[in-house]
Amino acid sequence: MSAARAGRPSLVVTRRLPAAVEQQLTREFDARLNPDDRALSAAELQAALTSADALLPTVTDRLTAQVLQVEPLRTKILANFGVGFNHIDVAAAKARGLVVTNTPDVLTDDTADDAVMLMLMVARRAGEGERHVRAGAWTGWRPTHLLGTKVTGKTLGLIGIGRIGRAVARRAHHGFGMHVIFHDPHPPSPEVVAELGAEAKRTVEEVLREADFVSLHSPATPETHHLIDASRLALMKPSAFLINTARGDIVDEAALVAALKAGRIAGAALDVFEREPQVSPELLTLENVVLLPHLGSATQETRVAMGLRALENLKAFFSGAPPRDRVV
Ligand code: DGY
């Protein structure tokens, strides 16, 4: 190892990142990349924590209290690639003196686009239609074929109206003329709410009762675990759809399967799952469900921007400045 190389902080990057990001990380850090893109085991994460100054993890790395207990801990910062950090036990990280950062803002638009795409797909039966054409089953246009649900002008209920929820509200209100209602324990200012054409509701239950489409935009915390359970699903209109681009465990997936099978709601569109990458097998058999493999931020532009944002946080930290996106 050259002297210059030895002088730079060491970094373990847990998954493959876009080439432009890996190049920059390698220029700035003594970076160990993961060209095979295989998820690291708990033991491998611990090996990284004992051998590198910094870790750049993703949502697939479970940085539990047990993993973070490793000795001797060399790592000083967990620069997460992603806005959500529920895969990191932040209390344990704090107790071990670790700084944790995330990558907000840069993925807001893509994730909002994903939610709108899912809403349209499930309402207009796009997945079913695609499967139909690919199966060679299409016999031609007819007035009663694959009729879906109109989106324009309907009521969209948002659970959580942070950055991504607001971007969804903007698209829904200004793009589709939807009436947007929401519940958030920390609502934005009345000016922001007015600009979004949105209406605050006092409870999650009110949103669920009134909405034609319910879209989830809460962070995954102990408070939001199974926020949407059997009793809350039962409050939704039988004609309503559930959309989840936030985190899988906000929804009790077994209860959702039961509600869908019993026809208690009209359908669901999911980008995230309770036990990713496992998907409840029954969901795979239901036509009124759209299933995507956690694609919220999956565009070239945004994945590069996320990587550069993590790099910015790392550079700030190692230059002694406060990282922009410190969460712990
Ligand atoms: C995010 O940024 O939180 C994405 O879901 C990937 O982790």
Side-chain angles (χ1 to χ4, degrees):
M1 187 186 292
S2 73
R5 196 171 172 76
R8 295 176 304 168
S10 53
L11 167 71
V12 169
V13 181
T14 67
R15 299 306 297 257
R16 195 152 174 215
L17 299 182
V21 177
E22 290 191 341
Q23 277 159 21
Q24 289 221 41
L25 286 170
T26 314
R27 260 202 300 276
E28 305 277 348
F29 291 89
D30 179 12
R32 244 177 288 155
L33 305 178
N34 181 355
D36 301 332
D37 203 17
R38 189 178 51 79
L40 301 191
S41 64
E44 288 168 322
L45 287 172
Q46 289 192 317
L49 290 165
T50 53
S51 62
D53 300 315
L55 196 65
L56 194 157
T58 74
V59 67
T60 58
D61 301 306
R62 308 234 65 83
L63 289 156
T64 60
Q66 205 187 349
V67 168
L68 294 171
Q69 275 324 303
V70 69
E71 292 291 356
L73 180 67
R74 173 167 171 176
T75 297
K76 292 166 200 64
I77 175 168
L78 307 175
N80 188 54
F81 181 94
V83 68
F85 49 88
N86 58 309
H87 52 288
I88 301 173
D89 187 323
V90 286
K94 192 172 177 189
R96 300 245 46 202
L98 282 158
V99 166
V100 181
T101 59
N102 69 345
T103 59
D105 308 321
V106 290
L107 47 67
T108 300
D109 283 330
D110 278 2
T111 310
D113 291 350
D114 189 47
V116 172
M117 173 172 73
L118 284 171
M119 175 171 68
L120 291 170
M121 283 182 76
V122 74
R124 299 299 303 271
R125 302 175 65 181
E128 279 180 83
E130 234 249 347
R131 288 192 287 280
H132 187 70
V133 172
R134 284 183 187 273
W138 189 31
T139 55
W141 189 91
R142 53 199 194 275
T144 56
H145 187 215
L146 273 177
L147 302 188
T149 299
K150 184 165 179 151
V151 170
T152 297
K154 294 284 173 64
T155 297
L156 172 64
L158 301 174
I159 307 298
I161 195 155
R163 284 177 291 254
I164 297 170
R166 280 177 231 174
V168 173
R170 212 165 278 126
R171 285 155 173 73
H173 176 68
H174 296 291
F176 296 95
M178 296 182 90
H179 175 50
V180 179
I181 59 176
F182 70 93
H183 173 74
D184 194 310
H186 310 287
S189 69
E191 294 73 38
V192 170
V193 175
E195 186 261 320
L196 298 171
E199 186 191 341
K201 296 286 174 185
R202 276 185 308 108
T203 62
V204 170
E205 285 73 15
E206 280 179 65
V207 174
L208 296 177
R209 278 194 199 97
E210 292 177 33
D212 299 306
F213 297 89
V214 174
S215 190
L216 307 178
H217 300 285
S218 311
T221 63
E223 292 74 42
T224 62
H225 181 79
H226 284 189
L227 181 79
I228 304 299
D229 59 6
S231 61
R232 288 210 167 105
L233 285 164
L235 299 176
M236 289 174 64
K237 299 180 188 178
S239 56
F241 298 88
L242 181 72
I243 295 133
N244 190 5
T245 53
R247 280 292 184 265
D249 63 2
I250 298 175
V251 178
D252 177 344
E253 207 166 286
L256 175 63
V257 167
L260 287 163
K261 284 174 77 175
R264 281 196 287 277
I265 64 171
L270 309 172
D271 191 51
V272 288
F273 301 87
E274 210 177 334
R275 284 167 289 275
E276 289 180 20
Q278 287 168 42
V279 175
S280 298
E282 283 155 303
L283 286 175
L284 304 175
T285 68
L286 298 172
E287 285 291 358
N288 55 343
V289 172
V290 176
L291 307 168
L292 294 183
H294 203 144
L295 291 181
S297 60
T299 66
Q300 280 289 346
E301 296 89 334
T302 293
R303 289 286 162 86
V304 169
M306 290 163 71
L308 298 182
R309 188 80 172 235
L311 171 65
E312 185 187 330
N313 286 317
L314 285 166
K315 281 172 66 178
F317 177 78
F318 284 106
S319 71
R324 176 172 177 186
D325 305 311
R326 183 169 178 169
V327 294
V328 161

